[in-house]
Amino acid sequence: MMAMATDRKAILGIDVGTSGVKVVVIDREGRTLSQATVGYEVSQPHPLWAEQNPEDWWEATCAAIQLALARSDRRGEDIAGVGLTGQMHSLVLLDEAGQVIRPAILWSDQRTEEECEEIHQTVGFEQTIEWVANPALTNFTATKLLWVRKREPEHYARIRHVLLPKDYIRYRLTGEFASDVSDASGTLWFDVKRRGWSDEMLAALEVPRAWLPEVYESPEVSGRVSEWASGRTGLRPGTPVAAGGGDQAAGAVGNGIVRKGVVSSTIGTSGVVFAHADEIVRDEKGRLHTFCHAVPGKWHVMAVTQSAGGSLQWFRNQFADAERAVAAQTGRDVYDLLSDEARRIPAGSEGLVFLPYLMGERTPHLDPQAKGVFFGITPRHTRAHFVRAIMEGVAFSLLDGLSLMQDLRLPVEEIRVSGGGAKSEVWREVQAGVFGRPVAVIEANEGPAFGAAILASVAAGFFADVVTAVDAWVRVESTTPPVVEDEAAYQRAYRLYRALYPAVRSLYRAEC
């Protein structure tokens, strides 16, 4: 009887994403028993702003946990551990009573260009990279807090706790103020080399250390489900909650990116190329992010495209009424219909090129004022050309990051693709063609939530360490090779793509 009870033990992974909370239930063999997603909206009160109510995350988390458990053959008492992941960088502010002070300012929000310049002037660009391994960017948490201090002093005066999105959910689940090294690396307050808060940067920016949470390695137990949260979620009181990781680090764990040479390309709302590193590696120009990995004692380097899948989502919302109508009638996914259209167009989109800078850009330009561009439009181009050009433009942006990694002599022996872009056969083919090498897909398609579950499996004692867990649970499902005949077309299109940003950069800031 005891053996049967043990065999029913499972792990819960929670991903607090930008568009919704995703919860997965994973059994001891690494198989997905169920999943549930509950969505919410992004508020954009001004151009280039992005905010959400953290309470919406919590309500969605409770609903998604209950739904995922109901869809599985497991109950709350069968869950041996909970793993957390979520959108990085977003600023959550709590008062003395643990109440939310204002809406969270999200990672994609671009309002803090002035604060970035202020940090680089007062601290220095090179010193900032020396202390925290990264430059000040509009996406990072620290710049958002400086914006609140300058423009909302009444809110700033009430602050007693500063958290990241997944860590707010941890607080509601356990009552603990905690984070992990990978997510903390994206705040601009974290000494990535020494894996702890940077006293130098906190002092320079005049941020109290007491506001920041305790930091753990990702597979460590950071708290346990409280009696109160048990009543809201159905989880057993005392269930251990792993420290978890930022969505990119957790997603990389779920993709098996835990050794040198294996690189991931993820197309979600944003796009990320992610490489494991055994030692800390930095781009002194700040074009790549260097963060602590969710694997204890390891690091990772990543390149970020601000609006990857977000670019195709924008097109869907604004120009795909016909496809949405067909999807409603047939039950097919709108993105599958758009992919079908893109398949009819040859590689290179017959000269139509897209810059995917709808929300500014990080890698390689570090330019929050960058805007999206379609270039080369002729009467020959159809809507299908625009869809394919978006897919190719996002892949070109990811190739920018991959090239920078190779410049740093990070080996690229295998590329694994994930996110919404990996679900599209066409987008997989585009990535393989643009990268000039095969791309692999793993069996599990739950993204960062699956990685969070792997981290929780270690915290729950299923495995001794993260690499052992990955070796047991992560399996390659299929590989997509590049189409040799398309190579020349992609190379021509990429050369044009690379020439466009320098040609229009000054126009982004022009007052016409």
Side-chain angles (χ1 to χ4, degrees):
M1 292 295 292
M2 286 298 294
M4 290 181 61
T6 301
D7 289 343
R8 288 188 56 79
K9 289 297 182 182
I11 296 295
L12 198 80
I14 302 173
D15 178 13
V16 187
T18 307
S19 58
V21 168
K22 183 176 187 177
V23 172
V24 298
V25 180
I26 309 294
D27 72 8
R28 293 183 68 96
E29 304 302 318
R31 295 177 298 233
T32 302
L33 299 177
S34 68
Q35 62 174 293
T37 300
V38 177
Y40 35 69
E41 299 298 322
V42 175
S43 171
Q44 295 185 293
H46 298 282
L48 300 181
W49 287 27
E51 298 183 345
Q52 283 175 333
N53 181 358
E55 186 64 19
D56 292 343
W57 303 334
W58 172 241
E59 293 298 330
T61 298
C62 293
I65 291 173
Q66 294 170 10
L67 190 55
L69 288 174
R71 289 175 175 172
S72 75
D73 63 349
R74 303 294 197 271
R75 295 182 298 179
E77 55 264 35
D78 297 319
I79 301 301
V82 176
L84 293 171
T85 185
Q87 51 173 299
M88 297 179 68
H89 313 306
S90 303
L91 176 72
V92 182
L93 301 176
L94 305 184
D95 63 14
E96 184 70 37
Q99 298 297 310
V100 174
I101 293 172
R102 71 171 321 282
I105 303 177
L106 301 192
W107 61 273
S108 56
D109 190 289
Q110 297 294 306
R111 76 184 72 176
T112 62
E113 187 173 11
E114 182 178 316
E115 284 69 31
C116 292
E117 293 175 0
E118 178 183 323
I119 291 172
H120 288 151
Q121 288 173 2
T122 57
V123 177
F125 186 90
E126 292 79 10
Q127 186 65 73
T128 299
I129 291 179
E130 177 63 28
W131 282 346
V132 295
N134 299 278
L137 300 177
T138 53
N139 315 92
F140 285 3
T141 320
T143 68
K144 304 176 193 305
L145 183 65
L146 295 186
W147 185 93
V148 173
R149 180 164 68 192
K150 186 182 299 181
R151 293 169 175 81
E152 297 179 353
E154 72 284 2
H155 290 150
Y156 191 84
R158 297 172 54 201
I159 298 172
R160 294 298 179 270
H161 302 281
V162 178
L163 296 176
L164 297 161
K166 81 174 193 318
D167 301 329
Y168 177 73
I169 297 304
R170 182 196 329 276
Y171 166 62
R172 300 302 297 271
L173 281 173
T174 70
E176 300 290 341
F177 296 108
S179 189
D180 80 286
V181 295
S182 70
D183 217 359
S185 295
T187 63
L188 209 69
W189 295 311
F190 200 70
D191 186 330
V192 173
K193 183 177 182 179
R194 294 177 176 81
R195 305 176 84 86
W197 295 117
S198 169
D199 292 332
E200 295 87 352
M201 183 60 82
L202 290 171
L205 300 184
E206 300 179 339
V207 175
R209 168 65 180 83
W211 289 2
L212 301 180
E214 190 73 21
V215 178
Y216 296 83
E217 292 288 347
S218 294
E220 291 184 310
V221 175
S222 63
R224 296 180 182 273
V225 174
S226 68
E227 291 278 357
W228 176 82
S230 172
R232 295 296 310 277
T233 63
L235 295 171
R236 175 179 54 84
T239 302
V241 177
D247 56 0
Q248 298 307 323
V253 167
N255 253 344
I257 315 302
V258 295
R259 293 182 175 89
K260 285 195 305 182
V262 186
V263 175
S264 66
S265 172
T266 302
I267 298 177
T269 302
S270 62
V272 173
V273 178
F274 184 112
H276 172 100
D278 288 331
E279 300 86 23
I280 189 168
V281 178
R282 297 188 308 207
D283 173 36
E284 297 305 324
K285 295 182 179 179
R287 296 166 298 179
L288 296 171
H289 299 333
T290 297
F291 293 161
C292 296
H293 201 345
V295 182
K298 305 299 182 181
W299 288 263
H300 73 259
V301 176
M302 70 180 190
V304 180
T305 298
Q306 282 284 101
S307 188
S311 292
L312 193 58
Q313 181 184 48
W314 162 79
F315 186 90
R316 180 203 67 177
N317 292 344
Q318 302 302 325
F319 305 110
D321 289 347
E323 287 82 358
R324 284 191 284 177
V326 171
Q329 293 173 354
T330 64
R332 292 192 67 195
D333 190 285
V334 176
Y335 291 113
D336 289 340
L337 297 173
L338 292 173
S339 291
D340 289 346
E341 295 179 27
R343 181 177 293 283
R344 301 198 300 265
I345 307 303
S349 301
E350 297 189 291
L352 183 64
V353 176
F354 174 66
L355 301 186
Y357 307 151
L358 301 187
M359 294 293 291
E361 190 54 295
R362 284 201 243 178
T363 307
H365 305 305
L366 303 180
D367 187 353
Q369 294 298 322
K371 307 292 190 300
V373 173
F374 282 104
F375 179 83
I377 304 170
T378 71
R380 179 173 177 77
H381 291 119
T382 65
R383 278 171 20 93
H385 284 86
F386 282 81
V387 175
R388 176 138 194 147
I390 289 173
M391 291 180 168
E392 292 179 350
V394 169
F396 291 148
S397 180
L398 296 172
L399 178 58
D400 280 346
L402 190 65
S403 299
L404 288 174
M405 290 178 179
Q406 291 174 308
D407 290 344
L408 291 178
R409 299 183 180 179
L410 287 167
V412 180
E413 298 167 2
E414 180 183 355
I415 299 177
R416 296 181 179 179
V417 294
S418 61
K423 296 177 182 178
S424 165
E425 183 180 1
V426 177
W427 220 338
R428 293 198 302 271
E429 291 174 356
V430 168
Q431 289 183 81
V434 169
F435 299 155
R437 63 185 73 205
V439 298
V441 178
I442 66 165
E443 288 182 5
N445 61 4
E446 282 75 31
F450 181 60
I454 291 176
L455 297 171
S457 75
V458 179
F462 285 13
F463 301 100
D465 55 65
V466 176
V467 175
T468 303
V470 166
D471 289 345
W473 279 12
V474 178
R475 297 172 283 269
V476 172
E477 180 180 67
S478 64
T479 300
T480 301
V483 178
V484 176
E485 293 79 9
D486 292 342
E487 182 179 349
Y490 283 129
Q491 289 177 350
R492 287 194 302 271
Y494 183 56
R495 285 195 295 269
L496 179 55
Y497 172 91
R498 291 278 295 174
L500 278 175
Y501 173 81
V504 301
R505 181 182 184 278
S506 62
L507 298 178
Y508 290 139
R509 290 167 171 77
E511 296 183 4
C512 299

